[in-house]
Amino acid sequence: MRLILLGAPGAGKGTVAKLLTAVDGSVQISTGDILRGAVKDGTELGKQAKAFMDAGDLVPDELIMGIMKERLQEDDCKAGFLLDGFPRTIPQAEQLKTLLADLSIELDAAVNLDVPRDVILDRLTTRRTCVGCGAIYNVKSMPPKVEGKCDKCGADVVQRDDETEEAISNRLDVYNEKTAPLTDFYRNEGMLMDVNSTSSDTVVAAIKEKLGI
Ligand code: ADP
Ligand code: ZN
């Protein structure tokens, strides 16, 4: 399947994407994970992105489009892909449309995960992330078996730099201003699928039903 996952930070895009990869081998492409990897590795991209990310601001469109143009042409994308955290602005969505047309790739849908703001805030402040493999935990509902250590790879499980209260509030403002308009964009393209459930399993079931798989 080839999907765009839309929704506020904390709406569950990453969790849903991971579940969907198990359905048909489509790959999850998370621009946030790619950027965090670049910061950790100290690459040129990472150096350019870090300050924006720590403040909860968006990284410039040119940087993101450069990453995605290459990523979408890698071999594993032939099995399908789940775009998690991209596009994030109208210019990114417009440029993605051109890029996909050039590559003769057709999307199945843009799925909007519509989750209430109080649920989002609660999830983001209690979320913890593995620095090694990116696995997501929650101190309340899904803590790692050993405190602070990843069940899967043993690396440290930490609160992200952009998950302070101030950065979270900025991320939600940025989302409302720059990313929320994408639902109208994809509605106009006839591609929008709205799902309002806080259960990832329910969201996955709805997507499978819609795509007939
Ligand atoms: P979230 O949990 O807020 O959805 P992500 O892990 O997707 O966060 O992204 C973390 C940060 O990486 C964002 O706050 C932003 O700085 C940057 N980022 C990720 N994807 C994009 C994008 N498509 N455009 C611009 N910035 C991005
Ligand atoms: Zn891990």
Side-chain angles (χ1 to χ4, degrees):
M1 64 187 101
R2 288 180 292 269
L3 295 179
I4 293 172
L5 297 171
L6 297 171
K13 300 185 294 290
T15 307
V16 167
K18 286 196 178 71
L19 291 170
L20 289 172
T21 59
V23 172
D24 70 350
S26 300
V27 289
Q28 174 187 10
I29 304 180
S30 157
T31 41
D33 285 349
I34 293 172
L35 292 168
R36 277 185 292 279
V39 170
K40 192 173 144 224
D41 295 343
T43 66
E44 191 49 41
L45 169 69
K47 282 178 195 147
Q48 292 181 47
K50 186 171 187 339
F52 295 105
M53 295 174 72
D54 285 351
D57 288 328
L58 292 181
V59 168
D61 290 337
E62 309 81 69
L63 280 185
I64 299 289
M65 291 314 302
I67 298 172
M68 288 307 295
K69 186 169 178 198
E70 283 181 21
R71 184 67 189 86
L72 284 169
Q73 295 182 69
E74 281 172 30
D75 257 355
D76 58 351
C77 290
K78 294 204 174 83
F81 51 77
L82 310 153
L83 302 184
D84 161 14
F86 170 86
R88 270 282 224 291
T89 63
I90 294 283
Q92 286 180 21
E94 278 166 349
Q95 290 175 57
L96 174 64
K97 188 177 171 183
T98 311
L99 176 60
L100 291 175
D102 288 348
L103 300 173
S104 306
I105 295 173
E106 239 180 89
L107 294 171
D108 295 312
V111 181
N112 183 40
L113 310 184
D114 198 359
V115 173
R117 190 182 166 97
D118 54 329
V119 176
I120 297 260
L121 274 173
D122 188 57
R123 279 185 187 170
L124 291 176
T125 48
T126 54
R127 182 155 87 173
R128 299 292 181 272
T129 306
C130 170
V131 297
C133 70
I136 305 285
Y137 296 91
N138 185 291
V139 286
K140 282 201 221 154
S141 60
M142 213 192 31
K145 291 196 185 81
V146 178
E147 200 189 327
K149 297 287 171 203
C150 181
D151 295 350
K152 290 174 192 133
C153 76
D156 288 344
V157 169
V158 302
Q159 187 160 29
R160 277 167 36 181
D161 288 340
D162 63 355
E163 284 175 353
T164 62
E165 228 173 278
E166 195 187 349
I168 288 172
S169 139
N170 188 41
R171 275 159 69 205
L172 291 176
D173 289 347
V174 169
Y175 170 78
N176 287 329
E177 185 193 336
K178 306 245 172 74
T179 309
L182 292 186
T183 54
D184 280 336
F185 179 93
Y186 287 109
R187 192 176 290 114
N188 289 335
E189 298 279 315
M191 278 174 52
L192 191 73
M193 173 184 176
D194 247 314
V195 192
N196 44 12
S197 168
T198 52
S199 145
S200 316
D201 290 330
T202 307
V203 173
V204 168
I207 291 171
K208 285 169 72 175
E209 191 188 326
K210 156 103 179 173
L211 301 184
I213 51 178

